[in-house]
Amino acid sequence: MSSESAAALPARTVAPLSTGEPDHRTVLLRGGEVHSPADPFATAMVVERGHVAWVGSEGAADAFAAGVDEVVDLEGALVTPAFTDAHVHTTATGLALTGLDLSSAATRAEALAAVRAYAASRPDDDVLLGHGWDSARWPERTPPTRAELDEATGGRPLYLPRIDVHSAVATTALLDRIPGVTGLDGYHPDAPLTAAAHHAVRAAAHAAITPRQREEAQRAALHRAASLGIGTLHECGGPEISDEDDFTSLLKLAREEAGPRVFGYWAERVTGPKDADRIRELGALGAAGDLFVDGALGSHTACLHEPYADAPHTGTGHLDAADVAAHVVACTEAGLQAGFHAIGDAAVTAVVEGVRAAAAKVGLARIRAARHRVEHAEMLTPETIAAFAELGLTASVQPAFDALWGGEDGMYAERLGAERARTLNPYAALLRAGVPLAFGSDSPVTPLDPWGTVRAAAFHRTPEHRVSARAAFTAHTRGGWRAIGRDDAGTLVPGAPADYAVWRTDELVVQAPDDRVARWSTDPRSGTPGLPDLSPGAELPVCLRTVVFGQTVFVRPNE
């Protein structure tokens, strides 16, 4: 880089640590396995004032034992950096945990029976809330009708989004609360609601949630995350997803109570400094997350270059390249991260063309330094992958999508045909091109499940897209921190924040996705830290303890 281009780089805004004060005690953990690039054979670690102070061998740990406030005998357990889930809808996750979850319903009749039982169990709820149905996995292949839902609820208001949250079914009683809903784009008399009609119905349903219900849901989601070794969540809020009170109350709760860190993104377009100031006032890191360029494949709303295999259209586009460029320019000039939800290949093309146009206006160096992000980024081509690398875009992706919907007989193949479906979620190609990856769940679309996410990437249903377990683990730990502009976290090295999890697991191994990965990395002499065996069918690690900034935020009962 020339001195001229270096001078053009803005001072990069670094996300602050958002969770309370550090634990001021000094703690020695010993007698286990510590996953650290500082020492691939480490068995001990010292934590001081909320940061990693030392990692090393059991013999060297003796020198610290007398001068610490606490010694923790790991009894052979594994210590890793805490996971970061880079795309979460926290309140919706909590509502799914505390409410009606239809993700396991195997038929439409089973889903309706669950609705009927749930309605009977919640006689005082103003609006019944559920989530997770997926008619693509039912033998009927059709969603519940409004008449069926009216009968199952006894005529009460019900809001039931599809698993991808881009369409929903609702009862007549809820629709009757929304003046003019039948004239909105996306209204269908007896089919799932999409677009503006869906957004209006969702807003009406969420408006019925009391502050007490919301806080209960948020606490449930944060507790579940901590119990799974997740130390940080990226909350993806926005006016078409939740509301400002939900967003700000979550950030406040995470600041004030011990638990996972929460960094928030607010998905609203920025046109100038006034909009940027408002994003900051909400407590958001950027105008990013689910700023919709398109919808989702399952709902036939992802925007494609060629029509769906099972529908005579190309989906729905919400923003074009000019819209993307204007947003990215405004965010870059304000020192904010920009980001977009883009799933279909036409949507991804719009993002790439828009960000490239923004770079032509404000300079490529400034665009790259801002670390703008793209959520989901499923339908990529070699050209758009190269553009991500060129423009410094982070791909915030969800490997569980492939595990759930990939394969020759999955939803992707049904929507796109097997040939196009095989191109989706090309993680290996992204890594080869140097594109930063951050892994998440999009919970409640797929559950919070960090080790399952790592497994899904390492054993992708399309073999050429597989990555090593180590690369997947890095994307789900350090990758999430890099996505918010922090290069000093997500790894257990001296000076890093002490965000870690302790796991009960079997023998550690070094897994490569297939023979195309260099064999040296699986040789113990390479010094590559091992990870649990994530082969399909192998038992996943069990979280015993989660620590954030040196503070214990979860301990498994009876351990």
Side-chain angles (χ1 to χ4, degrees):
M1 180 184 295
S2 69
S3 58
E4 182 179 356
S5 62
L9 286 170
R12 182 165 56 82
T13 301
V14 176
L17 296 173
S18 65
T19 299
E21 290 294 321
D23 188 326
H24 288 270
R25 298 178 311 144
T26 301
V27 178
L28 168 64
L29 298 91
R30 65 185 304 177
E33 302 279 352
V34 179
H35 187 92
S36 171
D39 183 346
F41 306 108
T43 61
M45 179 172 75
V46 173
V47 173
E48 186 173 37
R49 296 181 63 83
H51 291 79
V52 177
W54 172 85
V55 293
S57 66
E58 190 63 27
D62 291 336
F64 295 96
V68 300
D69 298 305
E70 181 183 3
V71 178
V72 176
D73 183 357
L74 294 170
E75 299 180 342
L78 170 67
V79 181
T80 71
F83 285 100
T84 292
D85 192 310
H87 192 119
V88 177
H89 305 286
T90 307
T91 303
T93 297
L95 290 171
L97 291 169
T98 59
L100 174 59
D101 182 0
L102 295 176
S103 60
S104 61
T107 66
R108 188 174 68 193
E110 191 175 318
L112 287 166
V115 169
R116 192 173 291 108
Y118 185 72
S121 72
R122 309 282 291 204
D124 299 325
D125 285 6
D126 182 29
V127 174
L128 298 166
L129 300 169
H131 171 77
W133 61 271
D134 185 1
S135 58
R137 292 189 286 157
W138 296 346
E140 303 92 343
R141 297 282 179 174
T142 55
T145 66
R146 195 199 311 176
E148 288 172 330
L149 294 171
D150 286 347
E151 184 279 326
T153 60
R156 296 169 63 191
L158 167 73
Y159 170 66
L160 212 57
R162 189 185 181 278
I163 189 170
D164 61 15
V165 203
H166 285 271
S167 62
V169 290
T171 55
T172 302
L174 181 57
L175 293 173
D176 286 347
R177 294 188 176 193
I178 306 161
V181 68
T182 59
L184 294 177
D185 182 39
Y187 174 80
H188 310 285
D190 202 25
L193 306 163
T194 60
H198 177 214
H199 298 157
V201 171
R202 175 166 51 195
H206 286 179
I209 300 172
T210 66
R212 179 193 59 78
Q213 286 176 304
R214 183 175 63 201
E215 187 171 305
E216 176 190 20
Q218 290 170 350
R219 282 202 171 95
L222 294 173
H223 177 76
R224 173 63 64 89
S227 75
L228 296 169
I230 298 171
T232 300
L233 303 172
H234 296 184
E235 166 67 12
C236 293
E240 294 185 358
I241 302 163
S242 53
D243 59 55
E244 292 183 11
D245 287 343
D246 179 84
F247 187 75
T248 56
S249 67
L250 172 65
L251 298 183
K252 182 175 184 288
L253 180 68
R255 283 194 306 269
E256 294 179 350
E257 297 188 5
R261 307 174 192 272
V262 178
F263 295 109
Y265 287 98
W266 187 251
E268 194 163 6
R269 291 168 68 179
V270 172
T271 60
K274 185 176 180 181
D275 292 339
D277 289 344
R278 186 171 160 280
I279 296 292
R280 289 194 178 92
E281 287 167 4
L282 289 172
L285 289 182
D290 278 329
L291 184 54
F292 296 120
V293 179
D294 69 343
L297 290 165
S299 298
H300 292 99
T301 52
C303 191
L304 313 181
H305 284 303
E306 301 294 333
Y308 284 87
D310 62 347
H313 61 81
T314 57
T316 306
H318 301 298
L319 302 176
D320 61 20
D323 297 325
V324 169
H327 180 70
V328 171
V329 167
C331 286
T332 304
E333 290 182 336
L336 281 176
Q337 270 187 300
F340 305 92
H341 161 120
I343 286 179
D345 50 2
V348 174
T349 295
V351 170
V352 164
E353 290 178 351
V355 177
R356 187 171 279 137
K361 184 169 183 179
V362 302
L364 179 59
R366 292 181 71 188
I367 293 295
R368 290 177 60 86
R371 302 193 189 188
H372 302 309
R373 346 179 357 158
V374 184
E375 309 299 316
H376 316 309
E378 293 199 72
M379 290 186 71
L380 294 156
T381 64
E383 293 74 24
T384 51
I385 290 171
F388 271 47
E390 171 198 354
L391 299 166
L393 297 174
T394 294
S396 171
V397 297
Q398 295 74 40
F401 287 6
D402 173 74
L404 185 60
W405 296 314
E408 296 296 311
D409 301 317
M411 184 270 287
Y412 289 152
E414 184 176 328
R415 294 288 183 270
L416 303 172
E419 184 176 351
R420 271 196 296 176
R422 281 192 290 270
T423 69
L424 265 60
N425 302 304
Y427 303 137
L430 285 163
L431 282 179
R432 284 195 300 270
V435 176
L437 293 183
F439 281 177
S441 62
D442 199 9
S443 180
V445 174
T446 64
L448 299 170
D449 180 16
W451 285 114
T453 296
V454 174
R455 170 187 279 169
F459 294 92
H460 196 295
R461 288 178 177 270
T462 305
E464 57 262 36
H465 299 331
R466 293 174 180 172
V467 299
S468 69
R470 178 173 53 148
F473 178 78
T474 299
H476 215 350
T477 50
R478 196 171 188 182
W481 282 97
R482 286 172 166 167
I484 62 168
R486 294 288 302 256
D487 293 326
D488 61 340
T491 183
L492 299 181
V493 296
D499 290 19
Y500 61 90
V502 181
W503 307 92
R504 181 172 66 236
T505 188
D506 293 330
E507 184 180 357
L508 305 184
V509 298
V510 178
Q511 287 178 301
D514 54 46
D515 287 340
R516 287 170 293 181
V517 175
R519 294 178 182 276
W520 69 267
S521 65
T522 63
D523 189 316
R525 293 170 296 179
S526 70
T528 301
L531 287 168
D533 182 3
L534 301 177
S535 301
E539 186 175 343
L540 293 176
V542 174
C543 183
L544 304 178
R545 180 183 297 261
T546 305
V547 176
V548 175
F549 216 5
Q551 300 181 55
T552 297
V553 300
F554 170 77
V555 176
R556 180 160 297 280
N558 304 318
E559 292 287 348

